[in-house]
Amino acid sequence: MGDLNKIYIEPTNRCNLNCVTCIRNSWDEPFGDMDWSVYQTLIGGLADFPEVKTISFAGMGEPLLHPKLPEMIHLAHERGLRTEMTSNAMLLTPAIAGQLVDAGLDQFAVSIDGGSNEAYENIRQGSSLEQIIKNVAHLSRISRVKNVTGRVCAAAPTLIRIGVVFVAMQSNIQELPQIKKIAQNIGASFILVTNVLPYTAGLQDEILYRFRPVAKKPPGSALHPLWILPNMDFNEKTMKPLSEIFKGSSNLAFLDLPLSMRNNYCPFVAAGSVSVGWHGGISPCVPLMHSYSCFIRNKEKRFLRCEYGRLPNRSLKEIWTDAEYLSFRNRVRVFDFPTCTDCVGCELSEKNEEDCYNNKFPVCGDCLWAQGVLRCP
């Protein structure tokens, strides 16, 4: 059956911004906030899952729009769970920042897609990079202050780990080096870079990845030997020869991880996670929480939402142990799907309902998260 280790929760699917990269540009779904009773049912159901370690407040909306987000974090923190969230940080006022710290939030990841106001605000319309930096820097600062002050008392607030999420595109990739300075200004300890998923036809020209038929390529041959690289420093002595290798070889492995072959590895199912929509629906991953259209290999594809049950109508244990859901998770772990991203395409590839291996809904052969193209915190 596999352990359940992490839960992605969508407190709301509403947002305060109008981003050109947003999934809302390709869906027609009602908006809503998670009801407190649904959240209580979820937290109560974790008694059946002592192995659960982390709750991540994310999904396809802005978590800070939910009026009870600090209470959600506090309740999870009381149960000994690590809590994370991803936000655009425009609503991160000093008052809310203090509430998040006091609630016990462990990690705050902020979406920053440009190093300059112009570049950032062209993507995330209705935002202000200057204000976001100010907001997150304040959160980082009061987290440190309260953590130090709390050491004198019985209960010290958690020192929040700050991170940056950057969606890389043709139009903003030159801004990437500036993100390091921003990260330093806001006290960020990690920068996660992901590619863009084109939800509209116009965004197809923004992608920085091209698919090549290498998913089934053997690990090495006389014509294309496999370079197996150790962990080594990248400095003035190693950079030039290593760069020549990277440019001239399509067959590389670093620390036994193949760099030139796609993963066929689901970062959601393999990690033992579930995703809970604002309405209580349980999905196997964040990408299957909603129905939407996107473009893969210059072809439009329609993804239908996959849901195996809803809270509080069914318990989390009932849903997690559902035979159909178990079968799907086992199929994903083996990843016995056709390599649709290597194919010129057929009618089956226009939806995620079935594939040419006779797999039924949902099918994952061209999931860009499973291919390592898209990343989530």
Side-chain angles (χ1 to χ4, degrees):
M1 179 175 68
D3 287 344
L4 176 57
N5 300 310
K6 184 173 184 175
I7 300 177
Y8 291 90
I9 293 179
E10 182 178 68
T12 179
N13 66 344
R14 298 183 295 122
C15 191
N16 56 312
L17 298 183
N18 181 28
C19 304
V20 298
T21 55
C22 186
I23 191 174
R24 288 168 190 74
N25 296 316
S26 69
W27 78 5
D28 183 18
E29 293 194 3
F31 294 100
D33 297 346
M34 179 172 285
D35 190 81
W36 184 249
S37 64
V38 171
Y39 184 71
Q40 285 182 311
T41 300
L42 172 67
I43 296 297
L46 295 183
D48 295 318
F49 300 92
E51 68 277 9
V52 172
K53 303 176 182 66
T54 303
I55 286 186
S56 178
F57 297 94
M60 300 301 177
E62 170 50 55
L64 291 176
L65 279 171
H66 196 289
K68 288 197 171 185
L69 180 67
E71 290 93 329
M72 288 179 161
I73 294 170
H74 178 69
L75 184 56
H77 182 70
E78 279 190 328
R79 300 298 177 93
L81 298 168
R82 173 179 170 79
T83 53
E84 306 172 350
M85 67 175 291
T86 302
S87 169
N88 60 51
M90 277 296 293
L91 302 176
L92 187 64
T93 64
I96 292 178
Q99 292 174 28
L100 295 181
V101 174
D102 292 338
L105 182 66
D106 291 283
Q107 178 174 296
F108 185 95
V110 56
S111 301
I112 298 181
D113 302 328
S116 63
N117 282 311
E118 181 180 4
Y120 181 84
E121 293 163 20
N122 282 340
I123 298 169
R124 297 188 176 269
Q125 298 171 2
S127 64
S128 165
L129 179 58
E130 182 179 352
Q131 185 63 50
I132 287 168
I133 293 173
K134 180 180 178 181
N135 291 349
V136 182
H138 177 75
L139 174 67
S140 179
R141 184 168 56 254
I142 65 170
S143 173
R144 293 193 303 271
V145 169
K146 289 196 174 189
N147 184 264
V148 171
T149 305
R151 290 175 187 170
V152 182
C153 307
T158 302
L159 181 61
I160 297 178
R161 184 184 187 218
I162 306 294
V164 174
V165 180
F166 182 93
V167 179
M169 297 182 288
Q170 294 276 352
S171 59
N172 73 345
I173 190 62
Q174 298 300 322
E175 303 272 320
L176 188 56
Q178 300 177 51
I179 298 299
K180 181 179 179 180
K181 183 177 180 180
I182 292 176
Q184 292 171 336
N185 289 340
I186 64 176
S189 59
F190 72 91
I191 302 170
L192 185 147
V193 180
T194 181
N195 281 292
V196 67
L197 178 59
Y199 292 113
T200 60
L203 278 178
Q204 293 181 92
D205 294 333
E206 288 281 7
I207 66 173
L208 294 166
Y209 49 91
R210 292 290 182 268
F211 296 110
R212 294 176 295 169
V214 298
K216 299 299 182 181
K217 189 174 181 178
S221 69
L223 293 177
H224 298 284
L226 173 65
W227 288 82
I228 304 173
L229 304 176
N231 189 357
M232 68 168 61
D233 293 337
F234 284 79
N235 54 36
E236 64 278 1
K237 290 187 178 180
T238 63
M239 186 62 70
K240 184 175 180 180
L242 288 175
S243 297
E244 291 298 318
I245 293 173
F246 295 156
K247 287 192 299 183
S249 175
S250 61
N251 213 0
L252 299 165
F254 179 66
L255 296 179
D256 298 325
L257 299 175
L259 300 183
S260 58
M261 299 176 66
R262 294 195 293 282
N263 295 328
N264 289 342
Y265 170 87
C266 176
F268 301 101
V269 170
S273 73
V274 296
S275 298
V276 187
W278 67 268
H279 40 57
I282 302 292
S283 299
C285 62
V286 173
L288 290 177
M289 290 175 70
H290 298 280
S291 297
Y292 56 92
S293 296
C294 64
F295 291 82
I296 301 176
R297 288 184 65 101
N298 298 316
K299 293 189 176 182
E300 187 171 12
K301 185 181 182 81
R302 181 67 180 170
F303 281 89
L304 297 180
R305 185 183 74 219
C306 176
E307 183 181 303
Y308 287 101
R310 285 203 177 188
L311 305 172
N313 300 331
R314 298 178 68 193
S315 70
L316 181 60
K317 185 176 181 180
E318 277 185 282
I319 299 170
W320 181 255
T321 58
D322 180 90
E324 187 178 354
Y325 191 12
L326 279 169
S327 175
F328 172 73
R329 296 203 304 272
N330 290 332
R331 185 168 17 125
V332 172
R333 289 190 187 96
V334 176
F335 217 87
D336 189 23
F337 299 103
T339 54
C340 297
T341 50
D342 293 344
C343 180
V344 294
C346 63
E347 290 184 0
L348 295 177
S349 67
E350 295 175 359
K351 299 178 180 179
N352 67 330
E353 298 183 52
E354 60 179 318
D355 62 31
C356 57
Y357 283 12
N358 292 319
N359 290 311
K360 302 305 179 183
F361 175 79
V363 295
C364 307
D366 54 3
C367 173
L368 300 190
W369 279 266
Q371 311 309 328
V373 174
L374 302 178
R375 303 289 302 276
C376 288

